[in-house]
Amino acid sequence: MNLTNIMIGLCATLALGSLNANASVSWNFKTASSGDYRVSSTTSGSYEFVGSGAGAVTTLSAWSAPVSGSSQISNVNSLLAHNEYGLVIDQDGYGADGSGYGNSGGDSHAIDNGGKYEFVMFDFGDKNFSLDAFDIGWYSGDSDVTVMAYHGGTPGSQPAEHINGVNLSGLAANGWSVISHHSNPGTGSESVNSNLAPVYSSYWIIGAYMSAVGAGSGDTITDSNWDGIKLAGITGTISSPPPTNSVPEPSTLLMMALGLAVISRKTILDKIKRT
């Protein structure tokens, strides 16, 4: 086998490796029947959902923080449920087994910002995930959404999954970035990265609009309407091994370019020898 064939084979292998390292995957959080059910039989801890791709698992946890005052974040996993429209965080409570509807107080039966900002954290473990879109199965009033990703904090900051007691306004100092705000997308799929460079992270947050976390990319929210959504699903790209920046597989592209350069040089030298 000559050098040209070796380099062509190497470039092809690297190209296939680059394609296989990134796989599209989606999660459906809706139930098959009506009624509300906790996403786990336990009342604390976090909950795993398996996605459409092999080995694609995300662990969910639920959080809330008061709209007024210090806005300290609290874990509310015992209130995380789902129904035929998607995930809900029910601050009013529901049946002991997680079934039935409970909407007795001022807070909505949804992921909302009525009195408390509510959001779900997605943990992808040792995988890096780029959120391409989220799906809203239901909304009431308004449907503004905030999306954040974890990029590591300053020295001494808490790990991504340990945000209990942190103020919403302090998430940036703890390694979280606002990726985008979305102004009233309504029901259906809402693209996150269509107009943004792909962002990869092992931790993501999706919640009702949170003005306390500051500005970000995407839409500017100009209203103060109450927002309540039920999160039907998410879609994105799993990267393994994790990319080191927002440009997928830069080292692979460089190796392919070097390989093609060697092939080109070898072809030119062969032509010179034959003349």
Side-chain angles (χ1 to χ4, degrees), residues 178-233:
V178 177
I179 300 303
S180 53
H181 294 304
H182 300 261
S183 179
N184 198 24
T187 56
S189 181
E190 168 74 357
S191 178
V192 173
N193 282 330
S194 61
N195 298 316
L196 305 171
V199 175
Y200 283 87
S201 176
S202 295
Y203 298 92
W204 288 80
I205 279 173
I206 301 177
Y209 172 60
M210 297 178 283
S211 59
V213 299
S217 302
D219 297 334
T220 299
I221 310 299
T222 58
D223 65 71
S224 57
N225 297 336
W226 173 86
D227 303 292
I229 66 168
K230 297 180 183 181
L231 189 61

Side-chain angles (χ1 to χ4, degrees), residues 122-146:
F122 301 86
D123 177 359
F124 295 91
D126 62 352
K127 301 290 194 303
N128 262 9
F129 179 74
S130 180
L131 178 65
D132 296 330
F134 58 86
D135 186 17
I136 296 178
W138 175 97
Y139 79 96
S140 178
D142 205 7
S143 58
D144 300 338
V145 172
T146 292

Side-chain angles (χ1 to χ4, degrees), residues 77-208:
N77 279 344
S78 61
L79 304 178
L80 182 61
H82 60 160
N83 58 30
E84 68 268 35
Y85 300 105
L87 295 171
V88 302
I89 298 175
D90 194 340
Q91 300 277 17
D92 289 330
Y94 37 83
D97 63 351
S99 63
Y101 290 90
N103 192 20
S104 59
D107 189 78
S108 176
H109 186 73
I111 299 170
D112 70 89
N113 52 19
K116 293 183 179 179
Y117 295 111
E118 296 174 343
F119 59 90
V120 178
M121 183 191 297
F122 301 86
D123 177 359
F124 295 91
D126 62 352
K127 301 290 194 303
N128 262 9
F129 179 74
S130 180
L131 178 65
D132 296 330
F134 58 86
D135 186 17
I136 296 178
W138 175 97
Y139 79 96
S140 178
D142 205 7
S143 58
D144 300 338
V145 172
T146 292
V147 175
M148 303 183 73
Y150 183 73
H151 293 295
T154 56
S157 68
Q158 298 185 30
E161 68 272 28
H162 296 155
I163 59 174
N164 204 58
V166 174
N167 286 343
L168 276 175
S169 59
L171 281 177
N174 281 268
W176 287 91
S177 300
V178 177
I179 300 303
S180 53
H181 294 304
H182 300 261
S183 179
N184 198 24
T187 56
S189 181
E190 168 74 357
S191 178
V192 173
N193 282 330
S194 61
N195 298 316
L196 305 171
V199 175
Y200 283 87
S201 176
S202 295
Y203 298 92
W204 288 80
I205 279 173
I206 301 177

